[in-house]
Amino acid sequence: MPTATTAPDQEKHPSPAADIAVIGGGPAGLLAAQHLAEAGYRVRVYEAQGTVGRKFLVAGHGGFNLTNAEPTSAFETRYGARQASFAQFLTHFSPADLRQWVASLGLETFVGTSGRVFPTAEYKPAQLLRAWLDRLHTLGVEINVRHRWLGFTAGGLRLHHESAGQELEVRPAAVVLALGGASWAKTGSDGHWVTAFAALGVAHAPFAPANCGAEVAWSTFFRTKVGRAPLKNIALGSGSQIVRGEVMLTEYGLEGTPAYALTPALRAALAAGPPALLHLNLKPDLTPEQLLHRLQKPRGGKSLAAFLEQTLRLGHPVATLLRELAPTAATAEPAVLAHLLQHLPVPVTGLRPLEEAISTAGGVAWDELDEHLMLRRRPGTFVAGEMLDWEAPTGGYLLQGCFSTGAWAARGVQQWLRTHQP
Ligand SMILES: Cc1cc2nc3c(=O)[nH]c(=O)nc-3n(C[C@H](O)[C@H](O)[C@H](O)COP(=O)(O)OP(=O)(O)OC[C@H]3O[C@@H](n4cnc5c(N)ncnc54)[C@H](O)[C@@H]3O)c2cc1C
């Protein structure tokens, strides 16, 4: 394979400002690129796929929840063990900054239920990405698609230009790596970067699925009878954590926001030995007394399904679910039935595979980074986005985390170059 020492198009655009390479054209990388270009640097983005922002567009299909309007004090807590670091990142590039950034691209956002922020209905995700790419083009950011980063050289980066079948080395003044997590590999985030990091001696926490479905070993009867069915307005708990919302019963188990939010708790419980128990409350708005009162109404000859429908407006999957998980429910006393309806144990046998997960837990170990998100073992190389070891629930916290770390890495690059630029 021929080897070039510089990218062929690099020589066409000489610039007095330092060259920065951003590897990975997802939201973290592209925001870092924008901030650095706005600061006057010459920025080149290298992206392995034929187009940038593929996972960003996939997020768009699922509602495109860009961020959340909840107060910063609550927002920060969504990053769990990384709260202190994210408090700093969110101060530098806040949810309000994100909305302002969308507005600066000529699009509008609105606050939906539970504070979730979306672009207004008339805007498609592709429009936001197109407006963003136009802005980057205006700023002079060069986007090189089909350029796969292979690893580090002594003073630069090894890339493979996939269309030309050519390997090349670039030697930028600073680098931002934003290669994503390891779910939905078809969007480009395949997690293969761990090999190059390991060669440098950089440790990473193992990848694990986050915000993913929970597996339950339903009987064939249940699978056939229920298939996919929503359970609306429920509460799902694991240990002391309880999440309200809607779950979907699927042929493999459960999915939906409450199940996703409980992934870290489930992961920990499963590590101690499956099954991990979830507690399902099918009537969280009723007190135990109110529920019992309704269940004490005469049932007559009605089936459990008809009785639950009539007294509690609980639809058909609930009776089948009770029979599946608590076979004695059909004939249980009102007090026992009331307890089951608010504390139904759901045995989870596993989590859905990483490939299907909305996000990835694990990634570059925090100890490997300084407070500017620079690799201690590789000064001048910064890391941003989902490839870092953090996780957060759905609700806009993932994209906000990626944008905020991208902005923070760009800030780190500028500070570093002020003292280290040749
Ligand atoms: C189905 C789904 C729905 C989602 N919905 C939401 C939502 O509504 N709200 C929300 O906040 N989040 C959502 N997310 C999560 C969000 O999309 C991700 O957290 C976010 O895209 C991660 O951004 P990133 O820039 O870190 O990485 P990515 O977006 O994964 O981008 C990384 C880029 O790096 C490139 N790359 C990888 N390796 C190389 C290499 N060796 N060389 C060059 N380039 C490389 C990849 O091709 C990719 O383009 C969703 C995710 C999924 C899968």
Side-chain angles (χ1 to χ4, degrees):
M1 190 178 293
T3 302
T5 49
T6 51
D9 42 6
Q10 206 165 306
E11 289 137 2
K12 289 187 221 151
H13 307 284
S15 162
D19 276 351
I20 318 281
V22 173
I23 317 289
L30 293 181
L31 195 74
Q34 180 175 346
H35 282 197
L36 288 163
E38 283 167 350
Y41 293 99
R42 170 73 198 223
V43 184
R44 293 186 170 89
V45 175
Y46 296 97
E47 162 59 49
Q49 299 293 307
T51 51
V52 295
R54 290 193 177 192
K55 195 176 265 181
F56 190 57
L57 292 179
V58 166
H61 297 156
F64 217 23
N65 183 190
L66 290 169
T67 184
N68 201 292
E70 76 181 354
T72 317
S73 53
F75 206 116
E76 292 164 15
T77 65
R78 307 292 182 168
Y79 299 91
R82 305 285 164 239
Q83 180 180 348
S85 301
F86 274 83
Q88 211 174 16
F89 308 151
L90 290 167
T91 304
H92 180 62
F93 189 79
S94 67
D97 292 331
L98 205 165
R99 294 187 72 185
Q100 177 53 41
W101 168 79
V102 175
S104 76
L105 295 175
L107 284 79
E108 288 164 37
T109 52
F110 74 99
V111 181
T113 49
S114 41
R116 291 169 183 241
V117 174
F118 303 91
T120 43
E122 63 266 37
Y123 298 118
K124 300 275 175 285
Q127 278 172 277
L128 175 54
L129 183 59
R130 208 172 310 125
W132 192 5
L133 293 178
D134 286 348
R135 174 66 51 83
L136 292 174
H137 180 72
T138 308
L139 287 166
V141 174
E142 185 185 294
I143 296 189
N144 301 282
V145 294
R146 297 190 205 287
H147 280 68
R148 177 171 294 277
W149 174 68
L150 300 177
F152 301 101
T153 61
L157 305 169
R158 268 175 66 221
L159 294 162
H160 185 239
H161 185 178
E162 314 233 304
S163 311
Q166 196 181 42
E167 209 172 284
L168 49 101
E169 183 191 23
V170 292
R171 291 173 164 267
V175 178
V176 177
L177 293 170
L179 303 165
S183 74
W184 283 66
K186 65 181 171 197
T187 62
S189 3
D190 54 22
H192 290 172
W193 52 262
V194 291
T195 313
F197 272 61
L200 193 67
V202 175
H204 75 279
F207 294 135
N211 293 302
C212 63
E215 294 182 343
V216 182
W218 303 127
S219 65
T220 308
F221 171 78
F222 183 85
R223 264 196 229 112
T224 314
K225 181 144 190 211
V226 174
R228 273 180 80 83
L231 294 175
K232 294 179 191 269
N233 195 16
I234 56 91
L236 198 61
S238 173
S240 59
Q241 195 184 352
I242 294 171
V243 187
R244 294 285 301 257
E246 174 178 332
V247 290
M248 182 69 80
L249 298 170
T250 72
E251 63 170 22
Y252 69 72
L254 294 177
E255 61 190 35
T257 304
Y260 299 158
L262 293 170
T263 326
L266 282 175
R267 197 187 304 125
L270 286 165
L277 282 190
L278 285 174
H279 291 279
L280 178 61
N281 184 344
L282 291 147
K283 275 287 167 193
D285 290 324
L286 294 184
T287 64
E289 295 74 28
Q290 288 168 330
L291 182 58
L292 180 59
H293 181 67
R294 294 209 198 170
L295 290 172
Q296 279 167 334
K297 287 183 185 154
R299 184 160 155 184
K302 286 193 190 75
S303 67
L304 179 64
F307 182 60
L308 291 177
E309 173 75 57
Q310 191 190 47
T311 53
L312 295 166
R313 292 172 180 239
L314 288 172
H316 90 92
V318 171
T320 317
L321 184 65
L322 283 173
R323 282 208 181 91
E324 175 80 1
L325 298 175
T328 55
T331 53
E333 293 295 313
V336 175
L337 188 54
H339 184 80
L340 281 173
L341 285 170
Q342 292 195 312
H343 303 89
L344 188 64
V346 183
V348 172
T349 52
L351 295 173
R352 292 301 280 171
L354 181 56
E355 176 54 29
E356 286 176 25
I358 288 177
S359 61
T360 309
V364 178
W366 226 251
D367 290 352
E368 299 284 355
L369 303 158
D370 73 4
E371 69 274 25
H372 305 290
L373 295 179
M374 186 171 79
L375 286 176
R376 295 184 197 282
R377 291 172 203 267
R378 183 87 186 182
T381 297
F382 295 75
V383 186
E386 214 181 297
M387 69 185 291
L388 294 164
D389 179 19
W390 59 278
E391 64 179 310
T394 57
Y397 309 107
L398 297 167
L399 281 172
Q400 179 71 54
C402 293
F403 280 113
S404 294
T405 53
W408 188 257
R411 174 186 181 275
V413 168
Q414 293 171 61
Q415 288 188 348
W416 191 78
L417 284 177
R418 264 180 230 130
T419 46
H420 292 84
Q421 199 170 344

